[in-house]
């Protein structure tokens, strides 16, 4: 796998990693939340972000709760979608765009408190994304609650396609 690959998202993350350690992830979370508004609205926090793994977290606050005072199912899906999309985005060439094709969630138990999602890519997936102008991959996402249990099992399929070019002359 080439260590020379870089894209706009990687370059942006690297700039945040140059900040003092206590500011890095809060400022990165704030910046991404301003670009991806719904991520910012829900209060998703980035804990780890590199080309191999993205970890995001969400506190169990009133604005993301369901009727039983736990994180809403939709917010759990957003958490998994955010982690998986960002790890793919860290590997997509600048002339392509990642697009979610499907996300499957099996809710297997009641969650407790805050939640965290971790999306991971294998070396083979990273190589495929970087070397193919168009394709798709299934991203492993582990979603855990405050007790370390997996209340939802998630599978996300991401595609990457060339950016649309303007047909204007």
């Amino acid at each position: 796998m080439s260590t020379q690959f870089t894209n706009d998202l990687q370059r942006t993350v690297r700039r945040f990693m140059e900040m003092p350690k206590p500011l890095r992830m809060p400022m990165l979370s704030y910046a991404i939340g301003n670009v991806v508004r719904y991520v910012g609205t829900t209060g998703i926090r980035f804990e780890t972000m590199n080309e191999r793994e993205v970890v995001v977290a969400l506190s169990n606050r009133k604005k993301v709760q369901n009727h039983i005072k736990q994180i809403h199912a939709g917010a759990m899906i957003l958490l998994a979608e955010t982690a998986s999309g960002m790890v793919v985005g860290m590997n997509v060439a600048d002339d392509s765009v990642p697009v979610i094709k499907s996300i499957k969630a099996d809710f297997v138990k009641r969650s407790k408190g805050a939640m965290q999602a971790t999306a991971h890519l294998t070396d083979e997936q990273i190589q495929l994304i970087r070397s193919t102008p168009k394709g798709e991959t299934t991203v492993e996402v582990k979603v855990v609650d405050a007790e370390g249990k997996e209340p939802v099992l998630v599978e996300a399929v991401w595609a990457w396609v060339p950016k649309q070019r303007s047909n204007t002359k």
Side-chain angles (χ1 to χ4, degrees):
M1 182 169 41
S2 171
T3 58
Q4 296 177 355
F5 177 87
T6 189
N7 65 17
D8 287 340
L9 184 56
Q10 282 186 13
R11 286 186 288 276
T12 299
V13 170
R14 285 186 190 129
R15 282 194 293 273
F16 281 96
M17 294 306 116
E18 293 170 1
M19 295 178 140
K21 195 170 184 176
L23 297 177
R24 292 175 189 167
M25 298 318 285
M27 292 302 292
L28 179 63
S29 298
Y30 177 78
I32 292 172
N34 275 329
V35 174
V36 185
R37 294 297 214 176
Y38 196 52
V39 169
T41 297
T42 57
I44 290 177
R45 297 178 319 279
F46 287 78
E47 296 184 344
T48 301
M49 190 162 175
N50 60 58
E51 63 273 0
R52 198 167 294 294
E53 181 179 74
V54 172
V55 180
V56 293
L58 185 60
S59 296
N60 185 11
R61 296 182 338 273
K62 187 173 182 169
K63 70 179 175 179
V64 295
Q65 287 179 346
N66 58 19
H67 62 288
I68 57 173
K69 307 267 189 262
Q70 294 303 312
I71 292 179
H72 193 281
M76 290 183 207
I77 298 299
L78 177 65
L79 196 63
E81 186 260 350
T82 300
S84 60
M86 286 296 179
V87 78
V88 170
M90 290 289 285
N91 292 284
V92 170
D94 287 335
D95 61 353
S96 293
V97 61
V99 180
I100 192 157
K101 285 190 74 178
S102 67
I103 192 161
K104 180 179 183 272
D106 291 322
F107 295 91
V108 294
K109 57 183 72 163
R110 185 175 171 173
S111 67
K112 303 271 173 114
M115 301 196 78
Q116 183 183 67
T118 302
H120 177 80
L121 293 178
T122 65
D123 288 343
E124 293 79 17
Q125 287 173 304
I126 291 170
Q127 183 61 35
L128 176 69
I129 295 167
R130 291 180 181 182
S131 66
T132 311
K134 182 178 179 181
E136 70 178 55
T137 192
T138 301
V139 181
E140 178 185 325
V141 186
K142 183 172 184 173
V143 181
V144 296
D145 65 11
E147 294 181 343
K149 295 180 181 168
E150 286 183 80
V152 58
L153 306 175
V154 180
E155 178 181 276
V157 177
W158 281 88
W160 57 97
V161 297
K163 287 182 180 174
Q164 295 295 324
R165 302 199 193 290
S166 173
N167 290 333
T168 60
K169 293 182 181 188

